[in-house]
Amino acid sequence: MTKSNQKRFTQAIIRKGIYGDTMTENGCQYRERVLTMDTMNPNVKRVEYAVRGPIVQRAVQIERELKMGIKKPFTEVIKANIGDCHAMGQKPITFFRQVLALCAYPDLLEDSKFPEDAKSRAHRILQACGGGSLGAYSTSQGIEMIRQDIARYIERRDGGITCDPDNIYLFTGASDAIVTMLKLLVSGEGMSRTGVMISIPQYPLYSAALAELAAVQISYYLDEDNCWSLDISELRRALQEAKKHCSPRALCIINPGNPTGQVQSRQCIEDVIRFAAAEKLFLMADEVYQDNIYADGCKFHSFKKVLFEMGLEYSEKVELASFHSTSKCYMGECGFRGGYMEVVNLDPEVKVQLTKLVSVRLCPPVPGQALLDVVVNPPQPDEPSYDTFIKERTDTLAALGEKANMTQEILNQVPGIKCNPVQGAMYTFPRIHLPPKAILEAKEKGQTPDMFYCMKLLEETGICLVPGSGFGQRDGTYHFRMTILPPKEKLKIVLAKIKEFQQHFMEQYS
């Protein structure tokens, strides 16, 4: 017996006394694993998240290969698959980083390089933290002062409609808030199992969370031919079909849309609220892109504002949870994981359960809470940082708007690609025509046709996109999602490479 086998044998004997059952291999005993693919939670195996799926994993491998000197038809991988603003070159807002630096290292409060308004914000935040430190736990719902500031921000945004800080919950990004609310909503078995209505295409967080919770996904399709608009008749169709096998209880809306970039009109939002009220559905409004509006004639309307302006018939009846984040808009601070949820008309007893649920994770990251506070409480006109802040904010949003227009214009010049206007958010979701030969080869490889397309694009150009099948799409249609975040000159390269690849692809498979 070799030394290594002797060691395994000795460890197996020790484990046997502790864990019980053992197995034999080559004369040596070892413990049978408790956690295997057969014994693990089956719901986890159903979870899929295309934004970081096989395409992205292959992109990371290619990056390693390039570093090893392996020759490729390109010199870098450009990841246009995810809305990670700063990774794509977007610059942080100076004032936000100044305040966070001061909060993280309070000795800097004595440094004359920092403006006084940044110091006053930092001092105020630190006073609200335990022991005057970002390193202390906060209350589970979030620091009270920050929740008060968020409530005042919402009131300003919504034209004075009252917001109670006690209805604000802070989270590790909006994603954490969305999953938490879904946990509260999901119950029952069989026909009584909770069904949740989500748009198709959708952000894969929703389908992944529903899979993990063993809830029923109720898919309603956005109208691609009408700029990805939401049609109430489609909501009705999906709901009536779902009632045959589950208990529909919630309706999720993403506005502005991800991955589709549409901005809902006020009339559409009113129609959705009426539908939710009539069908007794809990409304979840994902509004993390609320500052990202580019198209002429489009405007962001918060669901809460519209709900309350529709009168008491709706404002006292419809249950609503709305979500916002520091990760998108002009901030792009994805890594700080700051987000909040506001609840409206939530049952008081359920609210107690929500508070209990969030207390299990102790508290959201305090640096993310601090960032949220400066996002909702930015420099004012009489403060020294105001001009720089306004310029950076305006320039960032203007650059995104310019890239949104450029993306749709260039893609629509490519034969076989059709791209709707990017009205808002950070993505485009163009439809691609795939020849039958390409579809057949994809099936032979065990891939969806748009996965096959995106994988070939990655291998030949270094451009990393996400296939539309990861977001959902109507049968027989194929898409990809790409972000508009790369710097303008790099985005031009991305679009040129896609155009060249598409032309070659069509020639190869036609």
Side-chain angles (χ1 to χ4, degrees), residues 209-231:
L210 295 177
E212 183 180 357
L213 296 170
V216 178
Q217 174 179 317
I218 303 171
S219 300
Y220 65 89
Y221 289 90
L222 301 177
D223 186 354
E224 183 174 11
D225 292 335
N226 287 291
C227 205
W228 298 113
S229 62
L230 193 161
D231 191 321

Side-chain angles (χ1 to χ4, degrees), residues 383-456:
E383 293 182 311
S385 299
Y386 179 77
D387 289 343
T388 298
F389 168 75
I390 290 297
K391 183 179 188 309
E392 290 177 345
R393 182 184 188 277
T394 302
D395 289 351
T396 298
L397 291 173
L400 287 168
E402 184 180 358
K403 290 186 288 187
N405 290 330
M406 181 178 75
T407 298
Q408 68 196 44
E409 287 175 5
I410 292 177
L411 288 178
N412 278 325
Q413 296 170 9
V414 182
I417 295 181
K418 180 182 178 183
C419 182
N420 271 317
V422 183
Q423 297 177 332
M426 297 177 173
Y427 317 96
T428 182
F429 197 70
R431 184 169 176 173
I432 48 176
H433 171 73
L434 300 181
K437 283 175 63 177
I439 295 171
L440 179 61
E441 186 170 330
K443 290 179 179 178
E444 290 173 350
K445 292 179 178 290
Q447 297 178 335
T448 60
D450 46 12
M451 171 66 83
F452 173 73
Y453 179 93
C454 288
M455 193 64 82
K456 280 185 71 70

